[in-house]
Amino acid sequence: MIELKDATKKLGNFTLGPLNVNLEKGSYSVVLGPSGAGKTLFMEIIAGLSDLDSGTIRINGRDALDLPPQRRSIGFCYQDYALFPNMDVFENIAFGLRLRKHRDIKPKVGKIARVMGIQDLLKRDVKDLSGGEKQRVALARALVIDPDILLLDEPLSALDKASALQLIKELKRIHRSRPKLTIIHITHDFDEALSLAEKVLVMNNGRILQSGEPREVFNKPKDPFVASFVGLKNIYKGWVGSHDGVPVFETGDLKFRVITDCEGDAYATIAAHDVIISIEPSETSARNHFEGIVKDMEDKGMLMELTVDIGVDLTVTITKESALRMDLHDGKRCHVLIKATAIHVFKA
Amino acid sequence: MTKAKGFVAVFIIMGTVIVLFVVLPIFGIGIATPIHSLLETARDAEVISSIKLTFLSGLFATLFAVLFGTPLAYILARYRFPMREVVESIIDLPVVIPHSAAGIALLTVLGRNTTIGHAFSVIGIHFTGTAIGITTAMAFVSVPFYINAAKEGFASVDRKLEKTAYTLGASGSRAFFSITLPLAKNHLVSGAIMMWARAISEFGAIVILAYHPMVAPVLVYERFESYGLAYSRPVAWLIILISLVAFTSLRLMTRRRRH
């Protein structure tokens, strides 16, 4: 388990924290945030490569504040892999074992190389490897010493799509096969987080804005930054009032029937796939009903992304099939239905 | 395109002037020196011993800089600390001060009657008129060449490689010796060669601290002063030749290792 309490670190003009983080042993956490959010510094603090200015850090129940990186049992994979260019693949992987004066270095390196599918590369110079191969070597080098914690800094960002998908599979397999290994993975890509994370920590400007299960963070962001970062298109600022005793979110001239405990200034988000479009007005269980005009249509492969003007711009995704059947086009009038439960409201 | 061609042509002509400017004197001294007098000079005991003295003193000066300068270069490349730029400027000083003035400065602190000079003389080390003095003067004027090259070499090694080594269990010194040093090696070697070349060509500081025993540049000067151009020329040509051969072969050796 990794536990940070009120942890802060100043680096020039940048301040990280105060951070309060709890990561379960054996969990897969993804730290999500734009570049410059402080994600790498966060990782380096866990690794002991950077000292805290204040606060505490505990790893597996032990105070780790003064524990040097050599004794934290950590595997660290940097974004650009940081393979040692003066050594071949075998020597890179064997590096940590040699320091531990392991016997059986050869079989151990051979075993992890087979697991990572790089057994044929062992004699190769690291400069001659592809990005995906380098990433596997870096992972093998980190995993061969059997660490308690694996830190991955943007592991997929430099890979082409096919290699990235392959590596996601690989990471899932590593997570499954090592139930005690705590994995922390940095990314700026929400889809990557969704496919791997058990827990997501959204970070910006040195702070963790929200953490939780990825679905929950996506569906119920607590902050406009989180909402836009996880890819929500419909974020509205307004205020929550009461209408006949039921809560209503107002933005401009629009009123949305919502379910919330919030009052006063607030934000509302609506997931684009939770909106229903119809041509004829129809009686449904949806509490919010607007008339709108299709302003824009964007082809997204299987899906069609519409921008509908209902007084504010609302992004809606529907299948291409539906768009064709309803003969939707720019300027077409339509009806928009949104369930009160599909609108997520949080305090401004 | 025509315009660019004319532009490049002008640059080539200007560049040629510089190349000729360097090559002509060296070519000229070679032509002006009869081969028999060159061979005669190469057998001259005084010349041989002064060349030996020059090269060895330069070597020791360089070894001294490698031993003590490498850690400094590493610290300058890796850490930001107050006064860092001051330290860097101090290291560069020998390049900008006239070398005769450097010699006077060295003599002022290391001469027989100075505190430091006296302290060293107790353990049998004298700086004036000795090979140690020559080595000291050479080290003083040429050390920036090594430090700056080494600093650049260490700066070129990605900090993340060291950090990764730490997480894999390497101590600071282990990471330095198995990752950083091997990766900076080419810079260090080429810096050492540059320093050595600069050291063996030193005249100004040496002539003040230790006229005797005579290093090759001082010998050339002395023969010129005492006997004139014709008599000093073969010595000068011989030293130029040896320096060229030594420098070129060292360069070639390191280049081959790089590939």
Side-chain angles (χ1 to χ4, degrees):
Chain A
M1 181 154 115
I2 302 167
E3 216 182 334
L4 279 100
K5 269 205 187 117
D6 299 321
T8 67
K9 169 80 184 177
K10 229 175 126 61
L11 212 66
N13 289 328
F14 180 81
T15 308
L16 182 75
L19 299 178
N20 286 290
V21 177
N22 251 316
L23 303 174
E24 294 300 321
K25 191 180 177 81
S27 63
Y28 198 123
S29 307
V30 172
V31 181
L32 187 66
S35 48
K39 295 173 299 193
T40 302
L41 185 59
F42 172 65
M43 293 285 230
E44 292 198 339
I45 279 168
I46 293 171
L49 293 166
S50 197
D51 290 329
L52 284 176
D53 293 339
S54 67
T56 58
I57 174 165
R58 295 176 76 79
I59 295 176
N60 293 335
R62 259 175 90 193
D63 179 10
L65 211 51
D66 296 319
L67 210 58
Q70 292 85 348
R71 291 175 47 216
R72 290 196 183 190
S73 187
I74 269 169
F76 200 132
C77 295
Y78 275 105
Q79 184 172 10
D80 56 4
Y81 324 117
L83 298 178
F84 305 134
N86 55 325
M87 300 176 192
D88 64 14
V89 171
F90 180 91
E91 284 305 323
N92 262 278
I93 300 174
F95 187 80
L97 295 174
R98 289 208 193 286
L99 292 167
R100 283 163 181 72
K101 309 231 181 307
H102 257 287
R103 280 166 291 158
D104 313 331
I105 287 181
K106 226 175 162 180
K108 273 196 143 93
V109 172
K111 192 177 160 206
I112 193 79
R114 272 193 303 283
V115 170
M116 297 305 300
I118 47 173
Q119 65 271 34
D120 299 332
L121 306 176
L122 289 174
K123 288 287 151 228
R124 291 267 289 277
D125 206 353
V126 295
K127 291 177 207 101
D128 304 334
L129 304 179
S130 73
E133 289 168 341
K134 282 181 183 167
Q135 186 61 267
R136 281 155 193 276
V137 175
L139 276 169
R141 181 179 63 179
L143 289 172
V144 77
I145 57 170
D146 208 10
D148 292 337
I149 300 167
L150 180 65
L151 301 174
L152 306 166
D153 186 357
E154 300 265 3
L156 308 175
S157 67
L159 301 181
D160 59 78
K161 199 147 193 180
S163 311
L165 288 175
Q166 187 60 39
L167 195 73
I168 286 180
K169 268 192 208 162
E170 212 72 68
L171 291 171
K172 282 183 177 167
R173 202 163 49 92
I174 289 168
H175 178 47
R176 268 201 311 273
S177 63
R178 294 173 186 245
K180 285 183 184 162
L181 178 68
T182 309
I183 303 179
I184 307 176
H185 172 144
I186 286 181
T187 181
H188 58 262
D189 186 284
F190 185 72
D191 293 334
E192 195 176 314
L194 266 186
S195 59
L196 283 161
E198 289 161 356
K199 182 173 186 175
V200 169
L201 300 101
V202 185
M203 216 171 164
N204 193 31
N205 290 327
R207 287 168 164 269
I208 291 173
L209 300 176
Q210 188 171 358
S211 62
E213 278 178 41
R215 276 290 154 202
E216 182 193 311
V217 172
F218 181 78
N219 289 327
K220 295 183 175 166
K222 288 182 186 161
D223 179 285
F225 174 83
V226 176
S228 71
F229 201 76
V230 299
L232 283 168
K233 296 269 170 62
N234 304 311
I235 306 164
Y236 306 107
K237 197 170 188 319
W239 68 285
V240 179
S242 172
H243 194 74
D244 297 337
V246 292
V248 169
F249 176 84
E250 294 185 28
T251 181
D253 294 334
L254 289 179
K255 288 187 171 66
F256 293 90
R257 169 79 173 88
V258 293
I259 312 284
T260 181
D261 298 331
C262 280
E263 273 175 50
D265 290 338
Y267 286 95
T269 62
I270 302 164
H273 55 254
D274 280 343
V275 180
I276 294 168
I277 300 276
S278 74
I279 298 302
E280 300 298 327
S282 50
E283 186 57 36
T284 66
S285 63
R287 298 317 310 138
N288 295 292
H289 181 191
F290 305 98
E291 281 185 31
I293 298 172
V294 178
K295 260 175 82 178
D296 191 33
M297 293 176 67
E298 202 180 327
D299 197 326
K300 295 270 184 185
M302 303 277 282
L303 297 173
M304 196 62 99
E305 190 176 282
L306 314 180
T307 307
V308 183
D309 183 358
I310 57 169
V312 291
D313 280 354
L314 180 74
T315 303
V316 182
T317 46
I318 56 174
T319 59
K320 217 183 245 174
E321 195 187 331
S322 309
L324 280 174
R325 184 168 299 176
M326 288 188 282
D327 184 31
L328 290 178
H329 53 77
D330 288 6
K332 175 121 179 172
R333 292 192 164 274
C334 62
H335 294 267
V336 170
L337 302 157
I338 309 165
K339 291 169 75 171
T341 51
I343 303 174
H344 169 60
V345 178
F346 55 95
K347 268 201 99 49
Chain B
M1 278 315 284
T2 351
K3 259 186 194 164
K5 259 184 197 165
F7 169 79
V8 172
V10 171
F11 271 29
I12 288 173
I13 291 164
M14 289 161 80
T16 310
V17 171
I18 286 291
V19 173
L20 288 177
F21 174 68
V22 175
V23 166
L24 272 181
I26 294 170
F27 195 63
I29 190 176
I31 288 177
T33 314
I35 193 87
H36 66 88
S37 64
L38 181 72
L39 292 174
E40 203 177 298
T41 309
R43 283 194 295 270
D44 183 335
E46 197 186 14
V47 173
I48 293 169
S49 80
S50 85
I51 288 175
K52 241 192 237 165
L53 176 68
T54 312
F55 279 41
L56 280 176
S57 303
L59 185 65
F60 281 116
T62 308
L63 289 177
F64 165 78
V66 168
L67 190 61
F68 287 91
T70 307
L72 175 65
Y74 181 75
I75 288 170
L76 288 173
R78 274 288 181 264
Y79 299 101
R80 300 279 165 271
F81 52 90
M83 308 289 281
R84 178 171 148 272
E85 283 177 21
V86 175
V87 175
E88 284 185 321
S89 311
I90 289 172
I91 293 301
D92 282 335
L93 271 185
V95 177
V96 295
I97 59 177
H99 288 179
S100 50
I104 300 287
L106 284 170
L107 190 59
T108 308
V109 292
L110 299 176
R112 279 183 218 286
N113 300 322
T114 64
T115 319
I116 299 175
H118 186 75
F120 273 99
S121 73
V122 172
I123 50 169
I125 294 174
H126 303 281
F127 291 100
T128 50
T130 62
I132 290 175
I134 292 167
T135 305
T136 308
M138 283 178 167
F140 183 85
V141 298
S142 58
V143 75
F145 291 85
Y146 177 73
I147 305 264
N148 287 330
K151 194 172 71 183
E152 200 183 304
F154 288 134
S156 74
V157 178
D158 191 342
R159 190 82 231 263
K160 280 179 281 188
L161 296 176
E162 289 170 10
K163 290 182 174 181
T164 302
Y166 298 155
T167 64
L168 291 168
S171 65
S173 64
R174 180 63 189 255
F176 179 79
F177 284 110
S178 41
I179 310 290
T180 320
L181 197 60
L183 290 173
K185 191 187 67 197
N186 286 332
H187 283 88
L188 267 55
V189 170
S190 108
I193 292 171
M194 283 308 292
M195 170 169 176
W196 180 73
R198 180 65 198 82
I200 60 176
S201 61
E202 177 54 16
F203 170 76
I206 294 173
V207 86
I208 286 166
L209 203 60
Y211 196 97
H212 288 282
M214 249 184 262
V215 289
V218 177
L219 182 71
V220 172
Y221 175 73
E222 211 235 8
R223 294 212 169 169
F224 176 69
E225 280 288 276
S226 314
Y227 310 103
L229 182 61
Y231 198 66
S232 62
R233 197 183 291 133
V235 187
W237 178 227
L238 183 66
I239 290 166
I240 290 173
L241 277 181
I242 292 175
S243 303
L244 281 179
V245 169
F247 191 67
T248 314
S249 46
L250 276 174
R251 276 270 170 219
L252 286 178
M253 265 163 61
T254 52
R255 183 166 309 171
R256 197 174 316 146
R257 227 182 303 160
R258 214 169 295 186
H259 290 301

Coordinates of all heavy atoms in Angstrom, one line a residue, chain A residues 44 47 49 69-70 74 76 78 80 82-87 95-96 99-100 141-142 145, chain B residues 158-172 174-175 178-180 182-183:
Chain A
E44 N 8.2 10.3 -9.1 CA 9.6 10.3 -8.6 C 9.5 10.4 -7.0 O 10.5 9.9 -6.4 CB 10.3 11.5 -9.2 CG 10.6 11.3 -10.7 CD 11.7 12.1 -11.3 OE1 12.0 13.2 -10.7 OE2 12.2 11.7 -12.3
A47 N 9.0 7.0 -5.9 CA 10.2 6.2 -6.1 C 11.3 6.6 -5.2 O 12.4 5.9 -5.1 CB 10.6 6.3 -7.6
L49 N 13.1 9.3 -5.7 CA 14.0 10.1 -6.5 C 13.9 11.5 -6.3 O 14.8 12.3 -6.7 CB 13.8 9.8 -8.0 CG 14.1 8.3 -8.4 CD1 13.5 8.0 -9.8 CD2 15.6 8.1 -8.4
P69 N 15.8 5.4 -3.0 CA 15.1 4.6 -4.0 C 15.6 3.2 -4.1 O 14.9 2.3 -4.5 CB 15.5 5.4 -5.3 CG 16.5 6.4 -4.9 CD 16.4 6.6 -3.5
Q70 N 16.9 3.0 -3.8 CA 17.5 1.6 -3.9 C 16.8 0.6 -3.0 O 16.8 -0.6 -3.2 CB 19.0 1.6 -3.5 CG 19.9 2.4 -4.5 CD 20.0 3.9 -4.2 OE1 19.2 4.4 -3.4 NE2 20.9 4.5 -4.8
I74 N 11.2 -0.8 -6.1 CA 10.4 -0.2 -7.2 C 10.9 -0.4 -8.5 O 12.2 -0.5 -8.7 CB 10.4 1.4 -6.8 CG1 9.2 1.7 -5.9 CG2 10.3 2.2 -8.1 CD1 9.2 3.0 -5.4
F76 N 10.8 1.3 -12.2 CA 10.4 2.6 -12.8 C 10.7 2.6 -14.3 O 11.8 2.3 -14.7 CB 11.3 3.7 -12.1 CG 10.7 5.1 -12.3 CD1 10.6 6.0 -11.2 CD2 10.2 5.6 -13.5 CE1 10.0 7.2 -11.2 CE2 9.6 6.9 -13.6 CZ 9.5 7.7 -12.4
Y78 N 10.5 4.9 -17.5 CA 10.3 6.3 -18.0 C 9.7 6.3 -19.3 O 9.8 5.3 -20.1 CB 11.6 7.0 -18.0 CG 12.0 7.7 -16.7 CD1 13.1 7.1 -16.0 CD2 11.4 8.8 -16.3 CE1 13.4 7.7 -14.8 CE2 11.8 9.4 -15.1 CZ 12.8 8.9 -14.4 OH 13.2 9.5 -13.2
D80 N 10.6 7.7 -22.1 CA 11.5 7.3 -23.2 C 12.3 6.1 -22.9 O 13.4 5.9 -23.4 CB 12.4 8.6 -23.5 CG 13.1 9.1 -22.3 OD1 13.0 8.4 -21.3 OD2 13.8 10.1 -22.4
A82 N 14.5 5.0 -21.0 CA 15.8 5.1 -20.3 C 16.6 3.8 -20.2 O 17.1 3.4 -19.2 CB 15.5 5.6 -18.8
L83 N 16.7 3.2 -21.4 CA 17.5 2.0 -21.5 C 19.0 2.5 -21.5 O 19.3 3.5 -22.0 CB 17.2 1.2 -22.7 CG 15.8 0.7 -22.8 CD1 15.6 -0.1 -24.2 CD2 15.5 -0.3 -21.7
F84 N 19.9 1.7 -20.9 CA 21.3 2.1 -20.8 C 21.9 1.8 -22.2 O 22.1 0.7 -22.6 CB 22.0 1.3 -19.7 CG 21.4 1.4 -18.4 CD1 21.2 0.2 -17.6 CD2 21.0 2.6 -17.9 CE1 20.6 0.3 -16.4 CE2 20.4 2.7 -16.6 CZ 20.2 1.5 -15.9
P85 N 22.3 2.9 -22.9 CA 22.8 2.7 -24.3 C 24.2 2.0 -24.4 O 24.6 1.6 -25.4 CB 22.9 4.1 -24.8 CG 22.8 5.0 -23.7 CD 22.2 4.3 -22.5
N86 N 24.9 2.0 -23.2 CA 26.2 1.3 -23.2 C 26.1 -0.2 -23.0 O 27.1 -0.8 -22.7 CB 27.1 2.0 -22.2 CG 26.5 2.1 -20.8 OD1 25.3 2.2 -20.7 ND2 27.4 1.9 -19.8
M87 N 24.9 -0.7 -22.9 CA 24.7 -2.1 -22.6 C 23.8 -2.7 -23.7 O 22.9 -2.0 -24.2 CB 24.1 -2.3 -21.3 CG 25.0 -1.8 -20.1 SD 24.1 -2.0 -18.6 CE 25.1 -0.9 -17.6
F95 N 20.9 -5.9 -15.2 CA 21.6 -4.8 -14.3 C 21.2 -4.9 -12.9 O 22.0 -5.0 -12.0 CB 21.2 -3.4 -14.9 CG 21.9 -2.3 -14.2 CD1 23.2 -2.0 -14.6 CD2 21.3 -1.6 -13.2 CE1 23.9 -0.9 -14.0 CE2 22.0 -0.5 -12.6 CZ 23.3 -0.2 -13.0
G96 N 19.9 -5.0 -12.6 CA 19.4 -5.0 -11.2 C 19.8 -6.3 -10.5 O 20.1 -6.3 -9.3
L99 N 23.4 -6.2 -9.4 CA 23.6 -5.4 -8.2 C 23.2 -6.3 -7.0 O 23.7 -6.0 -5.9 CB 22.8 -4.2 -8.3 CG 23.2 -3.2 -9.3 CD1 22.2 -2.1 -9.5 CD2 24.5 -2.5 -8.9
R100 N 22.3 -7.2 -7.2 CA 21.8 -8.0 -6.0 C 22.7 -9.2 -5.9 O 22.3 -10.1 -5.1 CB 20.4 -8.4 -6.2 CG 19.4 -7.2 -5.9 CD 18.0 -7.4 -6.4 NE 17.2 -6.3 -6.1 CZ 17.3 -5.1 -6.7 NH1 18.2 -4.9 -7.6 NH2 16.5 -4.1 -6.4
R141 N 13.3 -5.2 -17.5 CA 14.4 -4.8 -16.6 C 13.8 -4.4 -15.2 O 14.4 -4.7 -14.2 CB 15.1 -3.6 -17.2 CG 16.2 -3.1 -16.4 CD 16.9 -1.9 -17.0 NE 16.0 -0.8 -17.2 CZ 16.4 0.4 -17.8 NH1 17.6 0.5 -18.2 NH2 15.5 1.4 -17.9
A142 N 12.6 -3.8 -15.3 CA 12.0 -3.4 -14.0 C 11.4 -4.6 -13.3 O 11.4 -4.7 -12.1 CB 10.9 -2.3 -14.3
I145 N 13.6 -7.8 -11.2 CA 14.0 -7.7 -9.8 C 12.8 -7.9 -8.8 O 12.9 -7.8 -7.6 CB 14.7 -6.4 -9.5 CG1 13.8 -5.2 -9.8 CG2 16.0 -6.3 -10.2 CD1 14.3 -3.9 -9.3
Chain B
D158 N 21.6 11.5 -20.0 CA 20.3 11.7 -19.5 C 20.2 11.4 -18.0 O 20.6 10.3 -17.6 CB 19.3 10.9 -20.3 CG 17.9 11.3 -20.0 OD1 17.6 11.9 -18.9 OD2 17.0 10.9 -20.8
R159 N 19.8 12.3 -17.2 CA 19.7 12.1 -15.7 C 18.8 10.9 -15.4 O 19.0 10.2 -14.4 CB 19.0 13.4 -15.2 CG 19.0 13.6 -13.7 CD 20.3 14.0 -13.1 NE 20.7 13.2 -12.0 CZ 20.5 13.5 -10.8 NH1 19.9 14.6 -10.4 NH2 20.9 12.6 -9.8
K160 N 17.8 10.7 -16.3 CA 16.9 9.6 -16.1 C 17.6 8.2 -16.0 O 17.1 7.3 -15.4 CB 15.8 9.6 -17.1 CG 14.7 10.6 -16.8 CD 13.7 10.6 -17.9 CE 14.2 11.4 -19.1 NZ 13.2 11.6 -20.1
L161 N 18.7 8.1 -16.8 CA 19.4 6.8 -16.8 C 20.0 6.6 -15.4 O 19.9 5.4 -14.9 CB 20.6 6.9 -17.8 CG 20.2 7.0 -19.2 CD1 21.4 7.2 -20.1 CD2 19.3 5.9 -19.7
E162 N 20.5 7.6 -14.7 CA 21.0 7.4 -13.4 C 19.9 7.1 -12.4 O 20.0 6.2 -11.6 CB 21.7 8.7 -12.9 CG 23.0 9.0 -13.6 CD 23.6 10.4 -13.3 OE1 23.1 11.1 -12.4 OE2 24.6 10.7 -14.0
K163 N 18.8 7.9 -12.6 CA 17.6 7.6 -11.7 C 17.1 6.2 -11.8 O 16.8 5.5 -10.8 CB 16.5 8.6 -12.0 CG 16.8 10.0 -11.6 CD 15.7 11.0 -11.8 CE 15.9 12.4 -11.3 NZ 14.8 13.2 -11.6
T164 N 17.1 5.7 -13.1 CA 16.6 4.3 -13.3 C 17.6 3.4 -12.6 O 17.1 2.4 -12.0 CB 16.5 4.1 -14.8 OG1 15.7 5.0 -15.4 CG2 16.0 2.7 -15.1
A165 N 18.9 3.7 -12.7 CA 19.8 2.8 -12.1 C 19.6 2.8 -10.6 O 19.7 1.7 -9.9 CB 21.3 3.2 -12.4
Y166 N 19.3 3.9 -10.0 CA 19.0 3.9 -8.5 C 17.9 3.0 -8.2 O 17.9 2.3 -7.2 CB 18.7 5.4 -8.0 CG 19.8 6.4 -8.2 CD1 19.5 7.7 -8.3 CD2 21.1 6.0 -8.3 CE1 20.5 8.7 -8.5 CE2 22.1 7.0 -8.5 CZ 21.8 8.3 -8.6 OH 22.7 9.3 -8.8
T167 N 16.8 3.1 -9.0 CA 15.6 2.3 -8.6 C 15.9 0.8 -8.8 O 15.3 0.0 -8.2 CB 14.4 2.7 -9.5 OG1 14.7 2.4 -10.9 CG2 14.0 4.1 -9.4
L168 N 16.9 0.5 -9.7 CA 17.2 -0.9 -9.8 C 18.2 -1.3 -8.7 O 18.6 -2.5 -8.7 CB 17.8 -1.1 -11.2 CG 16.9 -0.9 -12.4 CD1 17.6 -0.9 -13.7 CD2 15.9 -2.1 -12.4
G169 N 18.6 -0.4 -7.9 CA 19.4 -0.8 -6.7 C 20.8 -0.3 -6.7 O 21.6 -0.6 -5.8
A170 N 21.2 0.5 -7.8 CA 22.6 1.0 -7.8 C 22.8 2.1 -6.9 O 22.0 3.0 -6.7 CB 22.9 1.5 -9.3
S171 N 24.0 2.1 -6.2 CA 24.4 3.2 -5.4 C 24.8 4.4 -6.3 O 25.0 4.2 -7.5 CB 25.5 2.8 -4.5 OG 26.7 2.5 -5.3
G172 N 25.0 5.6 -5.7 CA 25.5 6.7 -6.5 C 26.7 6.4 -7.2 O 26.8 6.7 -8.4
R174 N 28.0 3.5 -8.0 CA 27.8 2.4 -9.0 C 27.2 2.9 -10.3 O 27.6 2.6 -11.4 CB 27.0 1.3 -8.3 CG 26.7 0.1 -9.3 CD 28.0 -0.6 -9.6 NE 27.8 -1.6 -10.7 CZ 27.8 -2.9 -10.4 NH1 28.0 -3.4 -9.2 NH2 27.6 -3.7 -11.4
A175 N 26.2 3.8 -10.1 CA 25.5 4.4 -11.2 C 26.5 5.2 -12.0 O 26.5 5.2 -13.3 CB 24.3 5.2 -10.8
S178 N 29.1 2.7 -13.7 CA 28.6 1.8 -14.8 C 27.7 2.4 -15.8 O 27.5 1.8 -16.9 CB 28.0 0.5 -14.2 OG 27.2 0.8 -13.1
I179 N 27.2 3.6 -15.6 CA 26.3 4.3 -16.6 C 26.9 5.6 -17.0 O 27.3 5.7 -18.2 CB 24.9 4.5 -16.0 CG1 24.3 3.3 -15.3 CG2 24.0 5.1 -17.1 CD1 23.9 2.2 -16.2
T180 N 27.1 6.5 -16.1 CA 27.4 7.9 -16.5 C 28.8 8.0 -17.2 O 29.0 8.5 -18.2 CB 27.4 8.8 -15.3 OG1 26.2 8.5 -14.5 CG2 27.3 10.3 -15.7
P182 N 30.9 5.6 -18.5 CA 31.0 5.0 -19.8 C 30.4 5.9 -20.9 O 30.9 6.0 -22.0 CB 30.4 3.7 -19.7 CG 30.3 3.4 -18.3 CD 30.3 4.7 -17.5
L183 N 29.2 6.5 -20.6 CA 28.5 7.2 -21.6 C 29.1 8.6 -21.9 O 29.0 9.1 -23.0 CB 27.0 7.4 -21.2 CG 26.2 6.1 -21.3 CD1 24.8 6.4 -20.7 CD2 26.1 5.6 -22.7

